[in-house]
Amino acid sequence: MEIKGDLVVLRPVDEEDAAVLHGIVREPEVAAWWAPPEGFDGMLAIVMEGGVIGAIRYDEELDEDYRYASIDIFIGARHQGRGVGTDAVRTLARWLIRERGHHRITIDPAVVNTVAIKCYRKVGFKPVGTMREYERDPISGRWRDGLLMDLLARELIG
């Protein structure tokens, strides 16, 4: 499976990608938001110009009365601020809506992660509310608030 965006291609993570992704999640700009996962099963590699530059994943609630998907993403520091994250999120959101039939998608950055929030707004995500003491900061171990954002299929930009 490959999902093509304007700048990136999303594809399942393979064994060769794991070392690259472990290096990316240890970069200070990424480690501030992501604790290194034990593995990358169920994630999609974000590929640009033939190289893996990050990963994105989705989860699905399949109960017909509550059906929706959620997204989580990280991009290596040298590729941040270039529209790559926006393209990756938009590409996956479009696929989740068109191919998987979701009408709503959520994403939940830390309240203080203004760069991520700006990226998600460009795709059409809107703030829904603050989730207090939602997650542990991977560096300090203190609880921090998360911003719940969602996107309805009709609000997808691009």
Side-chain angles (χ1 to χ4, degrees):
M1 169 182 94
E2 278 193 354
I3 308 169
K4 294 182 181 181
D6 294 332
L7 301 173
V8 302
V9 173
L10 310 178
R11 61 156 174 78
V13 170
D14 64 32
E15 287 182 31
E16 294 176 14
D17 301 332
V20 174
L21 293 173
H22 277 294
I24 292 171
V25 295
R26 286 177 172 73
E27 295 173 2
E29 299 86 348
V30 178
W33 312 111
W34 270 79
E38 290 185 25
F40 298 97
D41 293 340
M43 292 188 133
L44 300 173
I46 302 170
V47 180
M48 188 170 92
E49 299 169 354
V52 173
I53 62 164
I56 191 166
R57 74 170 183 215
Y58 66 94
D59 292 301
E60 297 177 284
E61 170 56 63
L62 299 177
D63 182 317
E64 288 301 319
D65 292 332
Y66 297 94
R67 188 173 170 82
Y68 75 96
S70 61
I71 295 176
D72 215 347
I73 181 174
F74 65 87
I75 301 278
R78 70 176 231 217
H79 296 286
Q80 294 177 10
R82 299 172 49 194
V84 176
T86 302
D87 187 53
V89 171
R90 180 181 292 120
T91 299
L92 185 56
R94 187 181 300 132
W95 181 81
L96 287 166
I97 291 166
R98 293 179 183 167
E99 302 299 321
R100 300 291 298 158
H102 291 286
H103 78 285
R104 180 173 165 266
I105 301 170
T106 64
I107 202 161
D108 56 2
V111 166
V112 295
N113 192 347
T114 57
V115 172
I117 293 166
K118 183 178 177 183
C119 166
Y120 307 150
R121 283 182 182 270
K122 288 178 185 176
V123 177
F125 283 88
K126 295 179 175 28
V128 176
T130 300
M131 299 177 290
R132 300 177 310 138
E133 296 184 6
Y134 176 63
E135 65 182 358
R136 285 197 193 274
D137 181 301
I139 296 172
S140 72
R142 291 190 205 107
W143 289 104
R144 65 180 175 201
D145 294 346
L147 179 64
L148 178 60
M149 303 178 79
D150 73 4
L151 167 75
L152 300 179
R154 66 179 174 270
E155 298 169 337
L156 179 64
I157 299 171

